[in-house]
Structures are given as structure tokens and as C-alpha cells.
Amino acid sequence: MELQDIRRITIIGAGQMGHQIAMLCALGGFETTIQDVQENALKQAEQKLQGIMDKWVQKGKLSDDQKAAAFSRLSFTTSLEEAASKADFIIEAIVEKLDVKKEVFTKLDQLAPVHAILATNSSTIVNSLIAEVTTRPEKVVNMHFFFPPLVMDCVEVVMSEQTSDETARLTMQVSKKINRTAVLLKKEISGFIANRILGALQREAVSLYEEGIADFKDIDIICRKALNHPIGPFELMDLSGIDVGYFVMEQRFKETGDPADKPFPCIEEKVKAGHLGRKTGKGWYEYNREGVKG
């Protein structure tokens, strides 16, 4: 298969990652379908994308015709069969839980054409753990976008021992066509590159907080002012979703059994309380309707 053979891309999951990945694909010229089990999630996804693209037009990043063309290539459905049956390339962007991903990939393997590549946007779960439930492990690959995908110009493409060179090559080429810089990892490792580095920073920051060394706000200030980071680790947790980080730590702990990988008590408390960051209006910080710290 060559890049020109990939015409239709399906995104599974209309959440904060999925809908933006879908728009990248539509802007890149692919016929793109977003699938989600919740009709309301699809409606919200379309509204958010309309708002983002309107701003791009206002800023001159996109013409009205380009916006209209992208939306003409974008469709929404709650039917997994409809979304997968004609797809050449599928990107899963659902919750970071291995059992849920396995369930979805089992269905995708049955519904998608035999030539279709099955990619996961997982930020930490290696694709070999998912590929084992399919009959096409050579066509399964990690394609990890960064939040928010329409802003962040980076994709980690990760091969397992079974991922074929063709699958990796095509995934890199798709990344380029949707205007994203891709980096190829030829060996699996939990957390890949960015999240391993980021995770080390986050673990140290939370440890300092839990030990009472400094308040989380002060730790964020030091990271911004002294280390010149654009955002502090606690602010970043709020932005990406505290539950997302929690599931990542939980999954890694299951894989390694290392107590150092276990989610911190303060993180677990926030998840159980439903204080997940910006998306719930409260996390480490509180936010008003405009998303500004209150």
C-alpha cells in the first residue's frame, strides 16, 4: 500500500484529542469520519471545531474556502461499523485504559478492511499489548499526538517488534500530509519519549508538594520563571486532564509493579472527587467559564 491508497481516515473518539486529530486529517485532504458512542459528544466536537476554525479564518491562517472544504470532508457517526467498514487508516483516541482499547480493537479488526492500518493515539500503552487481540499485528502502530493536536506540531510513531516497516512508513507519511512533524521510535518503551521526560518532572514536582517542601503554585512559578517552561507541571495536569495522567500512572504501575510508578495519593483524591482540571472547572486551580484561573 502507498500513501495515495489512503483516502479515508476514521477517528475513534470525539473527545479533546479525537476531534482535533480528525480536523487535521480533513485539512490534510483525507475523507475523515469521527465516531463516538455518544451523539452529544459528536455535536460538541463539531461546535468546538467550528469555533476553532472560525478563529483561524479571522487570524488569516485559513481561508473561508479552505474551512468549507475541510468540513465537507468531515463526517460524524455513532456507528462503529459505518466508521470502520470503508476506512483505510483508523486512529483510536479513547480513554487510556488497556481493557477498553482491546475491546475496541477487537471490533475494529473485524469491521475494517484487511488492508486498513489500526493506529492508537495512546500516550503510554505500547501497541503490542493491543495488537494481540487482532489478526493484523503488523498493521498496528502507536501514533501519539500531543494536546492540543491542532497546535502541537509533533507525533510519536512507535513500532512494536511486529509492526511492519510499511505500516511505520505510511504512518510517518500520513503525519507529514496532515502537517505534523513525526518522530519514529523503532523500539517500544512505556511512555515513549516525551511522557517519560515529562513524567519524571511531574513525579518530582508532586513529590515535593506532598512532602510539604513547597505549595503547588510556587512549584509552578519556579518551573515557569527559573526553568523558562511555558507552563508549570500542575497547570499542565489541569490542562491535559488529571484523570488522563492518573490512568497513565495506573497502567504503568500494572505493567512494572514498581511502587514509584503508582499514582500519588493527592492525584487519586482529585480523580475520585471529580476535580479533573480545566474540563471540570476545578483541579489544582479553579477556573471560570472562560477557562481563566479563579
Side-chain angles (χ1 to χ4, degrees):
M1 190 162 66
E2 299 298 328
L3 180 62
Q4 59 264 29
D5 299 318
I6 299 176
R7 298 183 178 89
R8 297 182 180 88
I9 294 182
T10 286
I11 313 298
I12 307 299
Q16 61 179 2
M17 295 295 290
H19 71 284
Q20 292 201 17
I21 295 171
M23 180 52 73
L24 283 174
C25 295
L27 289 168
F30 295 103
E31 293 296 324
T32 307
T33 300
I34 306 179
Q35 186 276 338
D36 199 287
V37 293
Q38 296 183 357
E39 182 72 42
N40 190 50
L42 294 171
K43 290 179 180 178
Q44 288 181 352
E46 185 170 14
Q47 290 172 356
K48 288 177 182 177
L49 290 175
Q50 288 284 359
I52 295 170
M53 292 301 104
D54 283 344
K55 289 181 180 178
W56 279 27
V57 171
Q58 291 169 9
K59 293 178 179 179
K61 295 174 65 176
L62 202 68
S63 70
D64 282 314
D65 288 344
Q66 288 172 320
K67 176 194 167 187
F71 274 101
S72 73
R73 290 188 287 267
L74 193 60
S75 60
F76 303 80
T77 182
T78 57
S79 169
L80 191 64
E81 182 176 3
E82 180 185 334
S85 61
K86 295 181 180 179
D88 303 306
F89 198 104
I90 298 176
I91 304 171
E92 166 271 314
I94 62 172
V95 65
E96 197 75 348
K97 291 186 176 181
L98 180 58
D99 57 339
V100 182
K101 290 183 187 293
K102 281 185 172 182
E103 184 180 341
V104 169
F105 270 74
T106 299
K107 293 176 182 176
L108 290 175
D109 187 47
Q110 296 167 352
L111 296 171
V114 293
H115 70 272
I117 289 172
L118 307 182
T120 174
N121 178 54
S122 176
S123 58
T124 57
I125 300 172
V126 292
N127 71 77
S128 61
L129 295 177
I130 303 170
E132 63 185 28
V133 301
T134 76
T135 59
R136 60 182 96 186
E138 76 284 355
K139 293 184 179 296
V140 180
V141 66
N142 284 86
M143 189 181 190
H144 174 224
F145 291 79
F146 291 84
F147 181 77
L150 283 166
V151 176
M152 301 297 285
D153 175 24
C154 193
V155 176
E156 290 176 320
V157 176
V158 188
M159 300 175 68
S160 72
E161 290 185 1
Q162 292 178 293
T163 305
S164 69
D165 290 337
E166 178 185 272
T167 295
R169 172 177 57 82
L170 288 168
T171 306
M172 295 289 285
Q173 290 174 344
V174 167
S175 299
K176 185 176 181 180
K177 191 172 180 184
I178 63 175
N179 199 31
R180 284 297 169 267
T181 301
V183 175
L184 179 63
L185 282 68
K186 294 186 177 181
K187 185 177 180 181
E188 288 187 323
I189 183 170
S190 179
F192 316 145
I193 295 174
N195 277 342
R196 289 187 74 86
I197 295 170
L198 195 60
L201 174 69
Q202 180 180 300
R203 282 194 298 274
E204 188 61 28
V206 176
S207 179
L208 289 168
Y209 166 74
E210 284 203 333
E211 290 175 18
I213 306 298
D215 184 70
F216 69 87
K217 292 181 181 179
D218 292 329
I219 295 171
D220 275 351
I221 288 171
I222 288 172
C223 288
R224 291 198 314 270
K225 300 290 186 180
L227 304 181
N228 204 27
H229 291 186
I231 189 171
F234 294 92
E235 292 171 309
L236 183 58
M237 280 186 262
D238 274 3
L239 179 63
S240 58
I242 294 173
D243 56 329
V244 174
Y246 174 78
F247 292 143
V248 166
M249 288 183 278
E250 198 175 41
Q251 175 61 35
R252 187 176 295 179
F253 178 61
K254 285 179 182 177
E255 290 178 23
T256 66
D258 185 347
D261 292 328
K262 194 173 183 180
F264 284 95
C266 62
I267 301 287
E268 189 169 4
E269 285 174 14
K270 290 193 180 295
V271 171
K272 288 182 176 178
H275 300 155
L276 309 180
R278 287 176 178 262
K279 60 186 175 184
T280 59
K282 185 176 183 180
W284 290 102
Y285 298 87
E286 291 189 13
Y287 303 85
N288 61 27
R289 290 181 181 177
E290 285 72 41
V292 179
K293 283 185 288 188

